Amino acid sequence: MTTVRRRQIAWGLRAVALLALLACVAGWRESRSGGLVMVAEWCDHPVLLIGSVLVLLVASLVVELGFGTGTGQLVCGLGLGLLVLCVPFALLASLFPPMDPPRREAAPGRPDRVIVITDLGGFDPFYRSELVSGSGWSARHWELDSSRHDDGVNWSGPDRITITRGKTLTVFDVLPDGSLGEPREEPLPPKR
């Protein structure tokens, strides 16, 4: 293979690595409160995407430098050593996936607004609750609560979410565009 052809292939691999890195950044950005649900689900996989970037960069260096040279063999050895160090982290991340499918509760009379409660897995149960507004590509999510309990987050009306934790009651109003208003504390109703 000619030097020019090796260099073209190497830069093609680097371009694909850049695309994987951009997808990782987009996934991280959209996984925050207010982000697009579909983009977060597809692109918020940092271990997989960063690992792909590293593999592609090592492969591009090996192709460009030529495996037969001493420099190419050194780069390949360093790259393989880096990958061997990354594999245990990828395995650990895959050992603790969410245990159960997310629980979904639609708003009264509003199927386009859903509270989603996800078990984040691990040794102790830990739950994340969020509001998902809209559907398809335009669906957005807003974080409501994270705690060790999967109950206490409920609809108290078509545009109102209440979170009961101990002796506190936090209320969120859902705005007409589907986003969350500022949380406010309210007194607990008397027990009957």
Side-chain angles (χ1 to χ4, degrees):
M1 189 180 322
T2 66
T3 306
V4 173
R5 182 71 179 141
R6 283 199 318 253
R7 193 166 287 149
Q8 288 173 342
I9 292 171
W11 281 104
L13 291 171
R14 291 175 188 144
V16 174
L18 179 62
L19 289 175
L21 187 61
L22 291 174
C24 184
V25 170
W28 170 77
R29 183 176 176 268
E30 297 301 326
S31 68
R32 296 183 299 170
S33 192
L36 294 168
V37 174
M38 294 291 276
V39 175
E41 285 178 2
W42 286 12
C43 298
D44 189 27
H45 303 285
V47 173
L48 176 67
L49 291 172
I50 299 293
S52 299
V53 168
L54 292 174
V55 168
L56 289 167
L57 289 177
V58 168
S60 74
L61 288 173
V62 169
V63 167
E64 185 175 19
L65 298 174
F67 186 68
T69 66
T71 307
Q73 291 173 356
L74 176 67
V75 168
C76 183
L78 289 174
L80 287 175
L82 182 64
L83 292 178
V84 166
L85 291 175
C86 292
V87 167
F89 292 112
L91 289 175
L92 282 176
S94 66
L95 288 178
F96 301 107
M99 303 308 285
D100 297 320
R103 187 176 57 137
R104 304 173 68 84
E105 182 182 341
R110 296 293 307 255
D112 62 330
R113 294 180 179 172
V114 179
I115 294 175
V116 179
I117 300 173
T118 307
D119 180 1
L120 298 177
F123 295 112
D124 290 332
F126 196 78
Y127 300 93
R128 179 185 65 214
S129 57
E130 57 188 4
L131 168 68
V132 175
S133 296
S135 62
W137 283 99
S138 65
R140 293 192 174 272
H141 62 103
W142 285 268
E143 186 172 337
L144 291 167
D145 185 46
S146 295
S147 74
R148 300 213 177 277
H149 306 285
D150 67 343
D151 56 350
V153 179
N154 299 301
W155 290 101
S156 55
D159 297 324
R160 183 178 158 143
I161 300 171
T162 57
I163 302 173
T164 308
R165 294 282 180 246
K167 295 182 178 182
T168 62
L169 179 71
T170 307
V171 178
F172 288 92
D173 289 321
V174 181
L175 303 176
D177 67 350
S179 63
L180 287 176
E182 291 297 318
R184 64 182 187 280
E185 300 289 325
E186 290 187 1
L188 283 172
K191 293 184 179 181
R192 295 182 181 182

